[in-house]
Amino acid sequence: MTTQRKPRGPYRKGIQRREQILDAALEVFSRHGDRGSSLQEIADRVGLSLPGLLHYFGSREELLLAVIERRDVLDTESRTVKEEAEVRSPGEAVVRTVRHNMEQPGLVKLFVALSAAATEPAHHAHGFFTDRYRDLVLTIRKGLESGQENGEIRADANAEHMARLLLAISDGLQIQWLMDPSVDMAAIVETFNLLCQAAPDRESEPGR
Amino acid sequence: MTTQRKPRGPYRKGIQRREQILDAALEVFSRHGDRGSSLQEIADRVGLSLPGLLHYFGSREELLLAVIERRDVLDTESRTVKEEAEVRSPGEAVVRTVRHNMEQPGLVKLFVALSAAATEPAHHAHGFFTDRYRDLVLTIRKGLESGQENGEIRADANAEHMARLLLAISDGLQIQWLMDPSVDMAAIVETFNLLCQAAPDRESEPGR
């Protein structure tokens, strides 16, 4: 989906237009979710007609998927170097993402609906989501294994299982939170991180 | 939905017919999931016409919800006294349910789709799911608190959080499993149960 060389001319203009639409869609969806959002509102925001908008994304479904992909990219890009350095474990990164998500209920709704629908192999987003889970499990597992090596994460629990637990928790808590907005997703993920910590010998740890 | 007194006459016959339809629906959905199942197939199995079937459930949506409710009931009823005694913790009960679910991919698909859609407050199953999560959190929390009191479950982690984690894990792993059937949901829940165990002093425990 991305290109290594800098595109020029009309092609580049098309990419800029696409990003403009995505930014507008992200904002509209983050407030209203899938059901409450109209493509017309997004088209209006970027000064396009509805057919003009569909020229760039083909269908509502394709736009929804592109919004979720863009959310992932923004979530990674928005981390400053300082934040990256502060996030010492995959679990802490998930807390940070979850806290961010709690400000965007519309996008959470969209993600929940799309990931559920994409479990069908024939769904247009099936490939995206299977790749997404496979890649995330791998990245998180590696982070946890480093934590196991340096003594921060329990070594008696399977790292791939803990990675899949973190992802499942992040997905499953979204449903509980949408059902009951008083559920503090971030605090609950922090409890999971506590469970994954290596055998506490807190008295001897400095700064606790 | 249930009645205390034993119903008689035509009313009772209606209930029996309803249960017959539900059993057929449960079987059809457990094999094909929502998308692959037709109401006609279910109607055929119980010797009803399609309008005859809809007389009992009004719509496909109502039948889907009734199937999920019935799955919950069957899951509880199917536990023998012996099993109830063997399941010493809420975490073990979840392992058991998850293992059972892995034999019914169609019902898992149905549950994932319905719970996602029901996050919308206007959805007809919203009330059922909000009640379901609230009740399950309460039951699991109590079980975990007993475990904390008798020293089996870690006392340094919030019991309500652990209850919500268990539910989130059970929901979230279903999505990962539907995307990749090689994911061993039961083994992963067992890893979570290990994380929740009270400080291991395994050498002194008999039988380990």
Side-chain angles (χ1 to χ4, degrees):
Chain A
M1 286 301 226
T2 56
T3 174
Q4 296 304 317
R5 284 180 304 172
K6 266 202 174 154
R8 287 181 303 181
Y11 179 50
R12 184 164 173 234
K13 255 179 106 175
I15 290 182
Q16 285 178 337
R17 201 61 160 146
R18 236 182 100 94
E19 293 203 343
Q20 242 184 349
I21 298 169
L22 273 180
D23 286 340
L26 207 62
E27 212 182 302
V28 170
F29 282 121
S30 69
R31 276 188 295 115
H32 307 301
D34 180 12
R35 294 199 179 195
S37 302
S38 79
L39 293 192
Q40 188 63 60
E41 186 182 344
I42 298 164
D44 289 346
R45 277 177 175 248
V46 292
L48 278 172
S49 65
L50 198 53
L53 178 91
L54 289 173
H55 165 74
Y56 289 93
F57 288 95
S59 68
R60 182 182 182 87
E61 283 65 41
E62 277 185 46
L63 178 60
L64 292 182
L65 176 56
V67 164
I68 290 297
E69 289 186 70
R70 182 137 179 96
R71 188 183 75 149
D72 276 352
V73 171
L74 289 179
D75 191 47
T76 311
E77 281 180 357
S78 70
R79 287 179 207 156
T80 61
V81 177
K82 186 167 168 286
E83 278 177 331
E84 282 289 355
E86 279 171 359
V87 170
R88 294 181 317 166
S89 72
E92 281 180 31
V94 172
V95 169
R96 189 185 157 285
T97 301
V98 161
R99 200 162 275 152
H100 185 58
N101 288 345
M102 289 172 82
E103 289 158 19
Q104 306 176 310
L107 285 181
V108 172
K109 270 187 201 177
L110 187 58
F111 181 90
V112 166
L114 204 58
S115 58
T119 56
E120 286 289 338
H123 192 275
H124 73 284
H126 184 72
F128 167 74
F129 275 99
T130 49
D131 289 356
R132 184 179 186 275
Y133 281 105
R134 194 200 48 221
D135 295 350
L136 280 172
V137 168
L138 196 67
T139 307
I140 297 177
R141 200 197 75 199
K142 282 184 184 168
L144 290 168
E145 283 170 349
S146 305
Q148 287 178 321
E149 279 159 27
N150 66 30
E152 285 179 356
I153 300 289
R154 290 173 62 150
D156 63 338
N158 181 301
E160 167 142 355
H161 286 188
M162 283 190 283
R164 290 200 173 272
L165 286 169
L166 253 175
L167 281 177
I169 287 162
S170 155
D171 287 349
L173 285 179
Q174 291 186 343
I175 295 176
Q176 293 181 41
W177 176 64
L178 290 175
M179 299 280 181
D180 173 3
S182 75
V183 170
D184 187 344
M185 296 196 284
I188 298 172
V189 177
E190 276 170 355
T191 294
F192 178 70
N193 293 341
L194 168 76
L195 297 176
C196 294
Q197 271 176 23
D201 186 22
R202 292 201 175 73
E203 288 75 23
S204 63
E205 265 184 79
R208 292 223 185 200
Chain B
M1 288 297 226
T2 56
T3 173
Q4 296 305 316
R5 285 181 303 172
K6 265 205 175 147
R8 287 182 302 182
Y11 179 49
R12 184 163 174 236
K13 255 178 107 175
I15 289 182
Q16 285 177 336
R17 201 61 162 147
R18 238 183 99 94
E19 295 204 342
Q20 241 183 350
I21 298 168
L22 273 181
D23 285 340
L26 206 62
E27 213 181 302
V28 171
F29 283 121
S30 68
R31 275 188 294 117
H32 308 299
D34 180 12
R35 293 199 179 195
S37 302
S38 80
L39 293 192
Q40 188 62 61
E41 186 183 345
I42 298 164
D44 289 347
R45 277 177 175 249
V46 292
L48 278 172
S49 65
L50 197 54
L53 179 90
L54 289 172
H55 165 74
Y56 289 94
F57 288 95
S59 67
R60 181 182 183 87
E61 283 64 41
E62 277 185 48
L63 178 60
L64 292 183
L65 177 56
V67 163
I68 290 298
E69 290 185 71
R70 182 135 179 98
R71 186 183 75 149
D72 276 353
V73 171
L74 290 179
D75 192 47
T76 311
E77 281 179 358
S78 70
R79 285 178 207 158
T80 61
V81 177
K82 186 167 168 286
E83 278 177 330
E84 283 288 357
E86 279 171 358
V87 170
R88 296 182 315 170
S89 71
E92 282 181 31
V94 172
V95 169
R96 190 186 157 285
T97 300
V98 161
R99 200 161 275 152
H100 185 57
N101 288 346
M102 289 171 81
E103 289 159 19
Q104 305 176 311
L107 285 180
V108 172
K109 272 188 198 176
L110 187 58
F111 181 90
V112 165
L114 204 58
S115 58
T119 57
E120 286 289 338
H123 192 276
H124 72 284
H126 184 73
F128 167 74
F129 276 99
T130 48
D131 289 355
R132 184 179 186 275
Y133 281 105
R134 194 198 50 221
D135 295 349
L136 280 172
V137 168
L138 197 66
T139 307
I140 297 178
R141 200 197 75 199
K142 283 184 183 168
L144 290 168
E145 283 170 350
S146 305
Q148 287 179 321
E149 279 159 28
N150 66 29
E152 284 179 357
I153 299 290
R154 289 173 62 150
D156 63 338
N158 182 301
E160 168 142 356
H161 286 188
M162 283 190 284
R164 290 200 173 272
L165 286 169
L166 252 176
L167 281 177
I169 287 162
S170 155
D171 287 349
L173 285 180
Q174 292 186 344
I175 295 176
Q176 292 180 43
W177 177 65
L178 290 175
M179 300 278 182
D180 173 4
S182 75
V183 171
D184 187 345
M185 297 196 285
I188 298 172
V189 177
E190 276 170 356
T191 294
F192 178 71
N193 293 341
L194 168 76
L195 298 175
C196 294
Q197 271 176 23
D201 186 22
R202 291 199 175 77
E203 288 75 23
S204 63
E205 265 184 79
R208 293 224 184 199

